[in-house]
Amino acid sequence: MALTEKVEIDRIEVVNQWIIQVRRNTTIERDGEFVSNSFHRWVLTPDSDISDQEQKVKDICNAAWTPEVRQAYETFKAEQANRLGA
Amino acid sequence: MSVLINASTSTGLVQSADTSGEIELQSNGTTALKVNTNEGIQILNCLGVGNATPSTSGAGITFPATASASSNANTLDDYEEGTWTPTVTPSSGSLTAYTSSGVYVKVGKLVTITGDFQLTTVGTASGSVSVGGVPFSGTGPSGAYRIAIGSGREDNILAVFYQAVLGGGGNNILLQTAAGANITWTNGYGYIFTITYQASA
């Protein structure tokens, strides 16, 4: 009886303009048969440090975050910051 | 595939021998589905929808790992639970070290997250706190600067109540006291919070 763990990024979603949602799926198998799985998620924005992300995540981020999108995000952040308590 | 009527145990469609009129769908002698005019439909284990393989543990509804979003407002099309890691950023200075953890549950588009972070070495951190790393981007009324409000607590030293506010970008949470003051940046302080919001997708 062999238990194996498989970890993979199984979801990379571009939401609206600049949000990238990422999901990591950890699957446990016994002799090749599914036993259980668990998810870990995070969101990335143009100001996120993506240096430690997997290459396929970086590729999506770099494709989605064009200069125009980055500028729109900075403008949005500035608008948010002008509000009380931001 | 065999279809058996009036059998007590087998594989196939089985009609109860009593007068209840109950019909069971059995596989290898084990009942998977019961249909009864009085009690309705009973599924004994898990029901997989959207071509999802039903979970072999427990009993419930198994949704596809990748949600198949329905445009019908009355259709529950997703369920997921998992973990996330809150990132903690001060508005001023630099936070040297902290630990954090979080969990989430998503039902349809409704997301509830719980997170906590412990300030290990505050360094020069000060001002307001921005908690990022949420598992799903949130959404709210068009143009809203705040899209959800939850609650929190400094749980190690002060036992003080905090408001947890998800900003209009849907990906950062601000923790403030009820009066709008910033958190206390002191080594050993720990904050826990929970907030429910609607996911963007």
Side-chain angles (χ1 to χ4, degrees):
Chain A
M1 182 180 69
L3 287 176
T4 57
E5 180 185 77
K6 184 172 67 176
V7 180
E8 64 172 348
I9 302 292
D10 70 343
R11 294 281 284 168
I12 307 172
E13 304 161 301
V14 180
V15 181
N16 298 330
Q17 287 189 72
W18 47 70
I19 298 287
I20 310 288
Q21 290 185 168
V22 186
R23 184 175 75 181
R24 185 178 67 222
N25 184 10
T26 302
T27 304
I28 306 296
E29 295 180 344
R30 179 187 296 114
D31 297 329
E33 294 293 320
F34 175 88
V35 174
S36 67
N37 75 317
S38 61
F39 295 124
H40 187 86
R41 278 187 177 267
W42 60 97
V43 162
L44 300 169
T45 51
D47 56 354
S48 299
D49 177 6
I50 62 171
S51 59
D52 58 350
Q53 300 292 320
E54 287 190 15
Q55 188 58 48
K56 61 182 179 182
V57 176
K58 290 180 182 176
D59 291 343
I60 297 291
C61 291
N62 291 329
W65 296 338
T66 63
E68 292 77 17
V69 169
R70 289 179 183 275
Q71 183 56 53
Y73 178 67
E74 290 303 319
T75 300
F76 173 80
K77 278 204 313 179
E79 291 172 356
Q80 291 273 308
N82 286 334
R83 298 289 294 196
L84 179 66
Chain B
M1 182 177 185
S2 63
V3 177
L4 306 177
I5 303 295
N6 290 326
S8 59
T9 174
S10 186
T11 294
L13 193 61
V14 179
Q15 183 178 26
S16 173
D18 59 28
T19 59
S20 67
E22 182 172 280
I23 296 174
E24 298 183 359
L25 188 59
Q26 297 187 346
S27 177
N28 293 326
T30 300
T31 298
L33 176 73
K34 293 181 180 179
V35 179
N36 183 304
T37 53
N38 294 322
E39 300 171 357
I41 299 172
Q42 185 179 20
I43 294 171
L44 280 298
N45 297 304
C46 285
L47 170 67
V49 296
N51 206 30
T53 301
S55 172
T56 55
S57 63
I61 302 171
T62 305
F63 287 87
T66 299
S68 178
S70 171
S71 59
N72 184 312
N74 297 111
T75 300
L76 178 61
D77 56 15
D78 193 19
Y79 177 86
E80 183 180 315
E81 53 193 42
T83 60
W84 65 290
T85 304
T87 59
V88 181
T89 306
S91 61
S92 300
S94 177
L95 177 60
T96 304
Y98 67 96
T99 61
S100 68
S101 63
V103 294
Y104 69 82
V105 175
K106 181 174 185 281
V107 181
K109 293 185 73 173
L110 195 65
V111 179
T112 296
I113 62 174
T114 298
D116 79 78
F117 60 91
Q118 308 290 319
L119 301 177
T120 309
T121 308
V122 167
T124 59
S126 64
S128 62
V129 64
S130 176
V131 179
V134 296
F136 298 91
S137 172
T139 190
S142 178
Y145 287 88
R146 309 281 179 262
I147 57 178
I149 300 174
S151 57
R153 170 183 159 104
E154 195 297 311
D155 207 39
N156 289 353
I157 309 295
L158 302 174
V160 167
F161 180 84
Y162 281 83
Q163 50 178 316
V165 185
L166 184 62
N171 62 317
N172 284 94
I173 296 168
L174 172 71
L175 280 181
Q176 290 181 320
T177 66
N182 293 324
I183 68 166
T184 301
W185 296 94
T186 301
N187 292 348
Y189 278 45
Y191 297 87
I192 184 170
F193 57 92
T194 187
I195 188 167
T196 296
Y197 60 96
Q198 186 167 322
S200 299

